[in-house]
Amino acid sequence: RRVLFRSKIKMKIIVISNNKTIENEDKIITKLFEAGLDNFHLRKPRMSTKGLATFLEKIPEHFHNRIVIHSHHNLAAKFKLKGIHITKSHLKNLRRTKWKLWILSFRRPLKNLTLSTSISQLPDIYKPDEFGYNYIFLNPIFNPLTGKLQNGFYEQGLKAANEKSGKQLIARGGVNISSIEIIQHLGFHGLALNSSIWSNEDPVNYFLKITDECQRLGIKINP
């Protein structure tokens, strides 16, 4: 019975880019896609629109529909990307952000894009959101040094949020192979990898280890 139950569990695996440009980054990202990655968040806060467009051009076109961008959202239409991420700075200027999304919708209907955002305070999960997000990053969940839950996050509260909020919550912050089982236990709809991927000597191999661990735990990877 336990195996049958666990086999039904589905979670997203999301890789978030390094904030800074690193050597051969476009090639590594392409290899991650080839290894089966379905969700990649391209987060380059210091990059210009032209710079981000040039970066996207280095990624094979048939993988563009797996990429979510955190800035220069107009490029989502030009490159037919998977989605856009609404950051805290976007939410601070809500009227401007809504206007830009309205303009974008004429080139790429928002129903054809995934929308996501990040939240760092658990009570905010229960507030109505402005955009009907497909999923929400909750972070930082884990202390990167101890692997334990960060101060302010407790098992009971996280379980309740995943069960009762009606939101698709993604665990982010301090996530690595050893934290996958607790993420599953807490009921998260997915996990986001950032520093654990980019600090590894072989990011692609580490990603494959993540997918192997999910398979061991009976987790089906949800695109």
Side-chain angles (χ1 to χ4, degrees), residues 138-144 150 171-175 192 194:
L138 184 59
N139 64 282
I141 294 294
F142 299 103
N143 184 308
Q150 287 277 24
R172 178 186 174 189
V175 174
N194 184 225

Side-chain angles (χ1 to χ4, degrees), residues 94-111:
L94 196 56
R95 182 178 294 181
R96 178 181 172 83
T97 299
K98 286 184 174 182
W99 178 77
K100 285 191 171 185
L101 291 183
W102 181 73
I103 296 296
L104 174 61
S105 68
F106 287 99
R107 301 178 58 204
R108 182 84 187 274
L110 296 183
K111 66 180 182 179

Side-chain angles (χ1 to χ4, degrees), residues 6-139:
R6 292 176 72 180
S7 65
K8 295 179 181 178
I9 295 173
K10 294 182 179 181
M11 291 203 306
K12 285 184 181 296
I13 295 181
I14 298 171
V15 172
I16 303 173
S17 70
N18 196 304
N19 284 353
K20 299 177 181 178
T21 301
I22 60 177
E23 188 177 357
N24 295 321
E25 187 173 9
D26 58 297
K27 293 181 176 63
I28 296 171
I29 294 167
T30 299
K31 288 180 179 178
L32 285 169
F33 287 138
E34 291 171 346
L37 178 66
D38 287 307
N39 298 280
F40 182 78
H41 275 239
L42 184 55
R43 182 173 181 263
K44 299 291 183 183
R46 297 179 185 87
M47 206 174 262
S48 65
T49 303
K50 184 179 180 180
L52 196 64
T54 300
F55 190 95
L56 286 165
E57 287 169 354
K58 295 178 181 179
I59 308 294
E61 187 176 348
H62 59 278
F63 290 134
H64 287 176
N65 62 357
R66 303 186 191 186
I67 299 174
V68 176
I69 49 175
H70 285 226
S71 57
H72 311 299
H73 292 157
N74 57 304
L75 295 177
K78 179 180 179 180
F79 289 92
K80 298 181 181 178
L81 303 180
K82 183 168 191 171
I84 58 177
H85 186 83
I86 308 296
T87 67
K88 288 183 179 179
S89 61
H90 292 129
L91 292 174
K92 285 180 181 178
N93 199 337
L94 196 56
R95 182 178 294 181
R96 178 181 172 83
T97 299
K98 286 184 174 182
W99 178 77
K100 285 191 171 185
L101 291 183
W102 181 73
I103 296 296
L104 174 61
S105 68
F106 287 99
R107 301 178 58 204
R108 182 84 187 274
L110 296 183
K111 66 180 182 179
N112 295 335
L113 291 167
T114 64
L115 298 177
S116 58
T117 193
S118 298
I119 288 177
S120 57
Q121 301 293 327
L122 197 58
D124 291 342
I125 292 296
Y126 297 95
K127 296 178 181 179
D129 66 60
E130 293 286 342
F131 299 102
Y133 300 113
N134 295 86
Y135 55 87
I136 296 172
F137 291 130
L138 184 59
N139 64 282

